[in-house]
Amino acid sequence: MKNNLIQDERAVAQKRKIGSEACTLLLGGLVISLLIKEYIFNVPFSQYATELLCLLGASIYIVIRNIIAGNDLFETKGKGKKSVVLISLLVGLGVCISAGSANYARYGERYTDGRFFIVTLAILFISGTVLTFLIYSPIYDLNQKRQKKIAEKLDKEENDIK
């Protein structure tokens, strides 16, 4: 026999919020752990592969689940693809700075010519930007299609009520 207790909506919402914050903290901790292991301790990939897989798996789950639930991931009213391009540029810049500084720390003595280092930074920036755009663009398109379906469904229900 199932015990159905009536729960206060505020308490349930607060518990969900706490769980969401804990998930965000854990994912942030995974990112920090990955960066420390890769760029500070220079450990081999096999030492942090599990953490990377967990981070990617959780991120993919969160994106897919939000799209299925109909939550707007981008919340960019009127900005359209500009937000995807801006996010791609910012991530590309982040990749350029983090990987460029790590490369210089590891191989600085090999950069005898400054132009070689600048070319390396340019390649990092371009590849980070393009890869991020190729990942974010389909997610944005799926999100927009889902938002459109939800809006059409709500409009139809509203018209049926009238």
Side-chain angles (χ1 to χ4, degrees):
M1 191 166 184
K2 205 174 191 183
N3 187 5
N4 292 329
L5 295 176
I6 298 175
Q7 294 183 353
D8 184 14
E9 290 178 20
R10 293 175 293 165
V12 172
Q14 190 67 30
K15 287 178 184 177
R16 289 180 180 156
K17 185 176 180 184
I18 291 169
S20 174
E21 290 169 352
C23 179
T24 303
L25 287 172
L26 284 172
L27 290 176
L30 277 175
V31 169
I32 291 169
S33 174
L34 286 169
L35 293 174
I36 289 172
K37 286 181 178 181
E38 170 66 22
Y39 296 120
I40 295 176
F41 295 137
N42 295 326
V43 298
F45 177 74
S46 62
Q47 296 291 319
Y48 60 87
T50 306
E51 292 168 0
L52 182 63
L53 288 175
C54 289
L55 178 67
L56 290 174
S59 299
I60 291 169
Y61 174 78
I62 289 170
V63 167
I64 290 172
R65 194 69 179 95
N66 275 303
I67 289 174
I68 290 172
N71 298 329
D72 192 3
L73 293 173
F74 293 91
E75 297 178 14
T76 55
K77 304 290 186 231
K79 292 182 182 173
K81 286 267 189 182
K82 291 179 186 177
S83 64
V84 175
V85 172
L86 181 64
I87 289 170
S88 299
L89 288 171
L90 290 174
V91 170
L93 183 64
V95 167
C96 177
I97 291 170
S98 64
S101 60
N103 278 344
Y104 191 78
R106 286 183 190 157
Y107 310 112
E109 68 278 353
R110 294 185 185 168
Y111 290 121
T112 56
D113 187 10
R115 290 179 286 177
F116 183 65
F117 184 64
I118 298 297
V119 169
T120 303
L121 291 178
I123 291 170
L124 285 169
F125 175 74
I126 291 169
S127 61
T129 301
V130 169
L131 183 63
T132 304
F133 183 79
L134 292 175
I135 292 170
Y136 266 74
S137 189
I139 292 171
Y140 177 81
D141 292 337
L142 283 172
N143 187 54
Q144 291 303 105
K145 286 180 184 177
R146 182 69 176 147
Q147 292 301 310
K148 189 175 180 180
K149 280 185 183 179
I150 290 171
E152 289 172 356
K153 183 179 176 183
L154 290 174
D155 288 343
K156 183 181 178 196
E157 288 176 1
E158 188 176 299
N159 290 336
D160 289 345
I161 292 174
K162 291 179 184 179

